[in-house]
Amino acid sequence: MLARGFQSASHPILAQIVPIRRCNLACTYCNEYDKHSPPVALATMRERIDHLARLRTANIEISGGEPLLHPDLDELIRHIRGTGALAGLITNGYLLNEKRVEDFNDAGLDHLQISIDNVTPDDVSKKSLRVLDAKLRLLAKRAAFSVNINSVLGGDLGHPEDALTIAKRAIELGLSATVGLIHNGHGRLMPLMPEQQRVYSEIASLTAPFYTVQNHNDFQRNLAFGRPNNWQCGAGGRFLYICEDGLVHWCSQQRGYPGTPLAEYTTEDVRRESTSEKSCAPLCTVSCVHRVALLDRIRTQPIETLDEMTPASGSGAVSVRALRWMFVTSPYHNRFRAVAARLLRSRS
Protein backbone atom coordinates (compact mmCIF):
# COMPACT_ATOMS: atom_id res chain seq x y z
CA MET A 1 0.00 0.00 0.00
CA LEU A 2 2.82 2.39 0.90
CA ALA A 3 4.69 1.72 -2.33
CA ARG A 4 1.62 2.18 -4.50
CA GLY A 5 0.71 5.32 -2.58
CA PHE A 6 4.14 6.78 -3.33
CA GLN A 7 3.94 5.98 -7.04
CA SER A 8 1.47 8.77 -7.82
CA ALA A 9 -1.09 11.08 -6.21
CA SER A 10 -3.85 10.38 -8.73
CA HIS A 11 -5.30 7.16 -7.31
CA PRO A 12 -6.96 6.15 -4.02
CA ILE A 13 -4.73 4.73 -1.30
CA LEU A 14 -7.60 3.33 0.77
CA ALA A 15 -11.27 2.67 0.02
CA GLN A 16 -13.85 1.45 2.51
CA ILE A 17 -16.75 -0.36 0.90
CA VAL A 18 -20.04 -1.39 2.55
CA PRO A 19 -21.66 -4.66 1.38
CA ILE A 20 -24.42 -4.54 4.02
CA ARG A 21 -25.74 -1.76 6.28
CA ARG A 22 -27.45 -4.12 8.71
CA CYS A 23 -25.77 -4.88 12.03
CA ASN A 24 -26.38 -7.47 14.73
CA LEU A 25 -25.61 -4.88 17.47
CA ALA A 26 -27.02 -1.44 18.30
CA CYS A 27 -24.28 0.66 19.94
CA THR A 28 -25.91 3.95 20.94
CA TYR A 29 -23.11 6.19 19.60
CA CYS A 30 -22.96 4.55 16.15
CA ASN A 31 -24.61 6.10 13.07
CA GLU A 32 -23.37 3.53 10.53
CA TYR A 33 -25.95 0.73 10.75
CA ASP A 34 -29.61 -0.22 10.47
CA LYS A 35 -31.62 -3.30 11.39
CA HIS A 36 -33.23 -4.17 8.05
CA SER A 37 -31.03 -3.64 4.96
CA PRO A 38 -30.41 -6.70 2.77
CA PRO A 39 -26.90 -7.59 1.56
CA VAL A 40 -25.73 -6.09 -1.72
CA ALA A 41 -25.66 -8.75 -4.45
CA LEU A 42 -22.29 -10.43 -5.05
CA ALA A 43 -22.25 -9.46 -8.74
CA THR A 44 -22.86 -5.80 -7.86
CA MET A 45 -20.09 -5.84 -5.26
CA ARG A 46 -17.70 -7.39 -7.78
CA GLU A 47 -18.47 -4.58 -10.25
CA ARG A 48 -17.71 -1.98 -7.58
CA ILE A 49 -14.46 -3.67 -6.62
CA ASP A 50 -13.48 -3.86 -10.29
CA HIS A 51 -14.07 -0.12 -10.68
CA LEU A 52 -11.92 0.58 -7.61
CA ALA A 53 -9.26 -1.53 -9.31
CA ARG A 54 -9.56 0.60 -12.47
CA LEU A 55 -8.94 3.62 -10.25
CA ARG A 56 -5.79 1.75 -9.04
CA THR A 57 -6.92 1.59 -5.40
CA ALA A 58 -4.15 0.16 -3.22
CA ASN A 59 -6.16 -1.08 -0.23
CA ILE A 60 -9.86 -2.01 -0.05
CA GLU A 61 -11.46 -2.47 3.37
CA ILE A 62 -14.85 -4.10 3.83
CA SER A 63 -16.93 -2.27 6.41
CA GLY A 64 -20.55 -2.03 7.50
CA GLY A 65 -22.96 -2.36 9.24
CA GLU A 66 -21.57 -5.73 10.13
CA PRO A 67 -19.88 -7.32 7.07
CA LEU A 68 -19.91 -10.82 8.58
CA LEU A 69 -23.67 -10.81 7.90
CA HIS A 70 -22.96 -10.81 4.14
CA PRO A 71 -23.35 -14.37 2.77
CA ASP A 72 -20.54 -13.97 0.20
CA LEU A 73 -17.92 -12.22 2.31
CA ASP A 74 -15.16 -14.73 1.52
CA GLU A 75 -15.75 -14.25 -2.21
CA LEU A 76 -15.54 -10.47 -1.80
CA ILE A 77 -12.16 -10.82 -0.08
CA ARG A 78 -10.93 -13.20 -2.76
CA HIS A 79 -12.09 -10.81 -5.50
CA ILE A 80 -10.29 -7.87 -3.89
CA ARG A 81 -7.07 -9.86 -3.70
CA GLY A 82 -7.53 -10.84 -7.33
CA THR A 83 -7.28 -7.17 -8.32
CA GLY A 84 -3.88 -6.85 -6.61
CA ALA A 85 -5.21 -4.62 -3.82
CA LEU A 86 -4.80 -5.39 -0.16
CA ALA A 87 -7.99 -6.71 1.49
CA GLY A 88 -9.09 -5.53 4.92
CA LEU A 89 -12.10 -6.14 7.14
CA ILE A 90 -13.66 -4.09 9.94
CA THR A 91 -15.98 -6.15 12.16
CA ASN A 92 -17.45 -6.23 15.66
CA GLY A 93 -16.15 -9.80 15.94
CA TYR A 94 -19.29 -11.38 17.37
CA LEU A 95 -19.79 -13.82 14.49
CA LEU A 96 -16.18 -14.99 14.25
CA ASN A 97 -15.47 -18.69 14.72
CA GLU A 98 -12.67 -21.06 13.75
CA LYS A 99 -14.14 -21.90 10.35
CA ARG A 100 -14.57 -18.23 9.44
CA VAL A 101 -10.97 -17.46 10.39
CA GLU A 102 -9.72 -20.35 8.26
CA ASP A 103 -11.93 -19.20 5.38
CA PHE A 104 -10.40 -15.72 5.66
CA ASN A 105 -6.94 -17.27 5.59
CA ASP A 106 -7.83 -19.16 2.42
CA ALA A 107 -9.39 -16.09 0.77
CA GLY A 108 -6.22 -14.05 1.34
CA LEU A 109 -7.40 -11.49 3.90
CA ASP A 110 -4.55 -9.12 4.78
CA HIS A 111 -5.77 -7.35 7.89
CA LEU A 112 -8.73 -7.26 10.28
CA GLN A 113 -9.79 -4.72 12.89
CA ILE A 114 -12.15 -5.05 15.84
CA SER A 115 -13.11 -2.10 18.01
CA ILE A 116 -13.87 -2.99 21.64
CA ASP A 117 -15.59 -0.33 23.73
CA ASN A 118 -15.60 -1.66 27.29
CA VAL A 119 -14.69 -4.60 29.52
CA THR A 120 -18.29 -5.47 30.46
CA PRO A 121 -21.38 -4.92 28.25
CA ASP A 122 -23.59 -1.95 29.14
CA ASP A 123 -26.43 0.10 27.67
CA VAL A 124 -24.05 2.03 25.39
CA SER A 125 -22.18 -0.88 23.79
CA LYS A 126 -22.08 -4.67 23.78
CA LYS A 127 -18.64 -4.73 22.09
CA SER A 128 -16.95 -5.89 25.27
CA LEU A 129 -13.73 -7.65 26.18
CA ARG A 130 -15.61 -10.11 28.38
CA VAL A 131 -17.66 -11.22 25.37
CA LEU A 132 -14.92 -11.05 22.75
CA ASP A 133 -11.85 -12.33 24.58
CA ALA A 134 -12.39 -15.88 23.26
CA LYS A 135 -12.52 -14.43 19.71
CA LEU A 136 -9.22 -12.61 20.29
CA ARG A 137 -7.57 -15.82 21.51
CA LEU A 138 -8.86 -17.60 18.39
CA LEU A 139 -7.44 -14.89 16.13
CA ALA A 140 -4.10 -14.93 17.93
CA LYS A 141 -3.89 -18.68 17.41
CA ARG A 142 -5.33 -19.15 13.91
CA ALA A 143 -5.23 -15.93 11.87
CA ALA A 144 -2.72 -15.75 9.01
CA PHE A 145 -3.57 -12.04 8.63
CA SER A 146 -2.72 -9.09 10.85
CA VAL A 147 -5.20 -8.23 13.59
CA ASN A 148 -5.63 -4.84 15.26
CA ILE A 149 -7.74 -4.22 18.33
CA ASN A 150 -8.95 -0.65 18.63
CA SER A 151 -10.02 0.51 22.07
CA VAL A 152 -12.12 3.64 22.31
CA LEU A 153 -12.29 6.73 24.52
CA GLY A 154 -14.78 9.57 24.80
CA GLY A 155 -18.49 10.13 24.46
CA ASP A 156 -20.79 8.27 26.83
CA LEU A 157 -18.31 5.50 27.61
CA GLY A 158 -18.12 5.74 31.38
CA HIS A 159 -15.02 3.70 32.24
CA PRO A 160 -11.91 5.07 30.49
CA GLU A 161 -9.67 2.58 32.30
CA ASP A 162 -11.39 -0.13 30.23
CA ALA A 163 -9.60 1.12 27.11
CA LEU A 164 -6.24 0.54 28.77
CA THR A 165 -7.27 -2.97 29.87
CA ILE A 166 -8.32 -3.79 26.29
CA ALA A 167 -5.08 -2.47 24.77
CA LYS A 168 -2.95 -4.42 27.25
CA ARG A 169 -4.89 -7.62 26.55
CA ALA A 170 -4.42 -7.22 22.78
CA ILE A 171 -0.67 -6.74 23.20
CA GLU A 172 -0.50 -9.69 25.61
CA LEU A 173 -2.00 -11.90 22.87
CA GLY A 174 0.48 -10.66 20.26
CA LEU A 175 -2.06 -8.52 18.42
CA SER A 176 -1.58 -4.84 17.59
CA ALA A 177 -3.44 -2.20 19.59
CA THR A 178 -4.60 1.33 18.83
CA VAL A 179 -6.86 3.80 20.62
CA GLY A 180 -9.53 5.86 18.88
CA LEU A 181 -11.70 8.82 19.85
CA ILE A 182 -15.47 8.65 19.63
CA HIS A 183 -16.89 11.34 17.36
CA ASN A 184 -20.34 12.84 17.26
CA GLY A 185 -22.87 12.16 14.50
CA HIS A 186 -20.94 14.39 12.08
CA GLY A 187 -17.49 12.90 12.71
CA ARG A 188 -16.43 15.86 14.84
CA LEU A 189 -14.37 15.95 18.01
CA MET A 190 -15.77 15.20 21.45
CA PRO A 191 -12.83 16.35 23.66
CA LEU A 192 -11.59 14.00 26.35
CA MET A 193 -11.93 14.67 30.06
CA PRO A 194 -8.72 14.72 32.19
CA GLU A 195 -8.98 11.06 33.24
CA GLN A 196 -9.62 10.02 29.64
CA GLN A 197 -6.58 12.07 28.55
CA ARG A 198 -4.41 10.25 31.09
CA VAL A 199 -5.57 6.84 29.82
CA TYR A 200 -5.05 7.94 26.22
CA SER A 201 -1.44 8.91 26.92
CA GLU A 202 -0.76 5.62 28.68
CA ILE A 203 -2.17 3.54 25.82
CA ALA A 204 -0.17 5.54 23.27
CA SER A 205 2.99 4.73 25.21
CA LEU A 206 2.27 1.00 24.84
CA THR A 207 2.09 0.95 21.02
CA ALA A 208 5.64 0.65 19.79
CA PRO A 209 5.56 0.28 15.95
CA PHE A 210 6.99 3.39 14.29
CA TYR A 211 4.18 3.50 11.76
CA THR A 212 1.44 3.67 14.42
CA VAL A 213 -0.22 7.02 13.77
CA GLN A 214 -1.37 7.61 17.34
CA ASN A 215 2.18 7.30 18.65
CA HIS A 216 4.12 9.26 16.05
CA ASN A 217 2.12 12.21 14.78
CA ASP A 218 -0.06 14.87 16.28
CA PHE A 219 -3.45 14.11 14.72
CA GLN A 220 -5.04 12.05 17.47
CA ARG A 221 -2.95 13.56 20.24
CA ASN A 222 -4.17 17.06 19.38
CA LEU A 223 -7.77 15.87 19.30
CA ALA A 224 -7.45 14.04 22.61
CA PHE A 225 -6.44 17.31 24.24
CA GLY A 226 -9.09 19.38 22.46
CA ARG A 227 -6.84 20.98 19.84
CA PRO A 228 -7.87 21.26 16.14
CA ASN A 229 -5.59 20.11 13.33
CA ASN A 230 -4.41 22.06 10.31
CA TRP A 231 -4.08 19.49 7.52
CA GLN A 232 -5.11 18.60 3.98
CA CYS A 233 -7.90 16.02 4.07
CA GLY A 234 -7.82 13.71 1.04
CA ALA A 235 -11.27 12.20 1.59
CA GLY A 236 -13.13 11.62 -1.66
CA GLY A 237 -9.79 11.23 -3.43
CA ARG A 238 -6.96 9.43 -1.73
CA PHE A 239 -9.57 7.97 0.66
CA LEU A 240 -12.98 6.79 -0.57
CA TYR A 241 -16.06 5.62 1.32
CA ILE A 242 -18.55 3.69 -0.81
CA CYS A 243 -21.93 3.07 0.79
CA GLU A 244 -24.27 0.14 0.15
CA ASP A 245 -25.96 2.15 -2.62
CA GLY A 246 -22.69 2.41 -4.54
CA LEU A 247 -22.18 6.14 -3.93
CA VAL A 248 -18.80 7.70 -3.14
CA HIS A 249 -18.67 9.85 -0.01
CA TRP A 250 -15.86 11.69 1.75
CA CYS A 251 -16.08 9.29 4.72
CA SER A 252 -18.57 7.43 6.90
CA GLN A 253 -19.36 10.65 8.80
CA GLN A 254 -19.86 12.88 5.75
CA ARG A 255 -22.22 10.79 3.66
CA GLY A 256 -23.73 12.83 0.84
CA TYR A 257 -20.51 14.59 -0.18
CA PRO A 258 -19.93 14.27 -3.09
CA GLY A 259 -22.50 11.47 -3.35
CA THR A 260 -21.40 10.45 -6.86
CA PRO A 261 -22.07 6.90 -8.16
CA LEU A 262 -18.85 4.90 -8.03
CA ALA A 263 -19.42 3.69 -11.60
CA GLU A 264 -19.10 7.32 -12.75
CA TYR A 265 -16.12 8.21 -10.55
CA THR A 266 -12.97 9.09 -12.45
CA THR A 267 -9.34 9.90 -11.86
CA GLU A 268 -10.25 13.57 -12.25
CA ASP A 269 -12.69 13.23 -9.35
CA VAL A 270 -9.92 11.64 -7.27
CA ARG A 271 -7.54 14.50 -8.03
CA ARG A 272 -10.16 17.18 -7.32
CA GLU A 273 -11.35 15.79 -3.99
CA SER A 274 -7.82 15.02 -2.79
CA THR A 275 -7.18 18.75 -2.47
CA SER A 276 -10.69 20.14 -1.89
CA GLU A 277 -11.25 22.11 1.32
CA LYS A 278 -13.43 20.43 3.94
CA SER A 279 -14.85 22.48 6.81
CA CYS A 280 -15.06 19.37 9.01
CA ALA A 281 -11.31 18.66 8.78
CA PRO A 282 -9.94 20.58 11.81
CA LEU A 283 -11.94 18.52 14.33
CA CYS A 284 -12.25 15.29 12.35
CA THR A 285 -11.60 12.09 14.33
CA VAL A 286 -11.68 9.59 11.41
CA SER A 287 -8.20 8.14 11.91
CA CYS A 288 -8.04 6.13 8.67
CA VAL A 289 -8.29 9.40 6.72
CA HIS A 290 -5.50 10.82 8.90
CA ARG A 291 -3.27 7.87 7.99
CA VAL A 292 -3.83 8.44 4.30
CA ALA A 293 -2.97 12.13 4.70
CA LEU A 294 0.19 11.17 6.58
CA LEU A 295 1.34 8.99 3.69
CA ASP A 296 0.83 11.88 1.29
CA ARG A 297 2.83 14.14 3.58
CA ILE A 298 5.66 11.60 3.54
CA ARG A 299 5.41 11.53 -0.26
CA THR A 300 5.69 15.32 -0.66
CA GLN A 301 7.83 16.22 2.40
CA PRO A 302 9.66 12.99 3.25
CA ILE A 303 12.53 14.19 5.42
CA GLU A 304 10.52 16.70 7.47
CA THR A 305 7.61 14.32 8.01
CA LEU A 306 9.73 11.33 9.02
CA ASP A 307 11.67 13.51 11.45
CA GLU A 308 8.41 14.75 13.00
CA MET A 309 7.05 11.20 13.29
CA THR A 310 10.04 9.75 15.07
CA PRO A 311 11.61 10.74 18.39
CA ALA A 312 15.38 11.12 18.60
CA SER A 313 15.62 7.76 20.34
CA GLY A 314 13.42 4.69 20.60
CA SER A 315 12.65 1.49 18.74
CA GLY A 316 11.21 3.25 15.70
CA ALA A 317 13.96 5.82 15.17
CA VAL A 318 16.49 3.46 13.59
CA SER A 319 13.87 1.99 11.24
CA VAL A 320 12.74 5.39 10.03
CA ARG A 321 16.29 6.66 9.55
CA ALA A 322 17.08 3.56 7.50
CA LEU A 323 14.00 4.06 5.31
CA ARG A 324 14.81 7.75 4.89
CA TRP A 325 18.35 6.91 3.76
CA MET A 326 17.20 4.15 1.38
CA PHE A 327 14.41 6.03 -0.39
CA VAL A 328 15.27 9.72 0.05
CA THR A 329 18.86 10.74 0.81
CA SER A 330 20.96 7.80 -0.40
CA PRO A 331 22.81 8.29 -3.70
CA TYR A 332 21.18 4.96 -4.64
CA HIS A 333 17.61 5.98 -3.71
CA ASN A 334 16.34 5.57 -7.29
CA ARG A 335 17.59 1.97 -7.32
CA PHE A 336 15.85 1.21 -4.01
CA ARG A 337 12.63 2.71 -5.36
CA ALA A 338 12.89 0.63 -8.55
CA VAL A 339 13.39 -2.58 -6.55
CA ALA A 340 10.37 -1.74 -4.36
CA ALA A 341 8.25 -1.13 -7.47
CA ARG A 342 9.31 -4.49 -8.99
CA LEU A 343 8.48 -6.31 -5.75
CA LEU A 344 5.13 -4.57 -5.69
CA ARG A 345 4.29 -5.65 -9.24
CA SER A 346 5.33 -9.23 -8.53
CA ARG A 347 2.94 -9.37 -5.56
CA SER A 348 -0.02 -7.87 -7.38
Side-chain angles (χ1 to χ4, degrees), residues 16-22 37-42 45 48-49 61-73 76 89-90 241-245:
Q16 289 184 346
I17 190 165
V18 176
I20 185 169
R21 183 61 64 184
R22 183 159 48 95
S37 293
V40 180
L42 176 60
M45 289 300 300
R48 293 174 185 174
I49 292 167
E61 285 186 341
I62 302 171
S63 183
E66 174 45 56
L68 268 68
L69 292 173
H70 196 284
D72 300 304
L73 181 58
L76 297 181
L89 177 65
I90 301 173
Y241 179 86
I242 298 95
C243 71
E244 69 276 23
D245 296 321

Side-chain angles (χ1 to χ4, degrees), residues 9 11 24 40 46 51 69 90 95 108 114 132 136 141 143 195 240 260 263-264 276 279 287 299 304 327 347:
H11 64 88
N24 54 321
V40 180
R46 282 175 170 162
H51 191 76
L69 292 173
I90 301 173
L95 302 177
I114 300 174
L132 292 168
L136 304 192
K141 183 178 180 181
E195 177 63 10
L240 303 179
T260 304
E264 300 173 10
S276 66
S279 61
S287 61
R299 183 177 184 276
E304 298 91 334
F327 293 104
R347 183 179 183 206

Side-chain angles (χ1 to χ4, degrees), residues 113-118 148-155 157 159-168 170-171 175-183 189-190 192 195-209 211-225 284-288 290-291:
Q113 176 166 300
I114 300 174
S115 287
I116 302 181
D117 298 333
N118 47 38
N148 182 69
I149 306 304
N150 188 62
S151 55
V152 184
L153 287 168
L157 299 177
H159 304 283
E161 199 71 26
D162 283 5
L164 181 58
T165 301
I166 293 161
K168 287 181 175 179
I171 293 169
L175 310 176
S176 66
T178 52
V179 58
L181 308 179
I182 287 184
H183 44 67
L189 172 67
M190 299 178 71
L192 300 185
E195 177 63 10
Q196 295 169 325
Q197 293 175 1
R198 180 193 65 79
V199 171
Y200 175 87
S201 296
E202 190 165 348
I203 295 173
S205 71
L206 297 174
T207 54
Y211 49 81
T212 300
V213 169
Q214 285 85 350
N215 213 25
H216 294 287
N217 79 78
D218 290 334
F219 274 122
Q220 296 283 62
R221 189 178 299 108
N222 279 343
L223 296 174
F225 290 89
C284 169
T285 66
V286 184
S287 61
C288 50
H290 299 165
R291 290 185 174 93

Side-chain angles (χ1 to χ4, degrees), residues 246-250 254-262 265:
L247 304 178
V248 177
H249 310 274
W250 284 346
Q254 295 294 335
R255 299 197 288 276
Y257 307 96
T260 304
L262 176 62
Y265 220 68

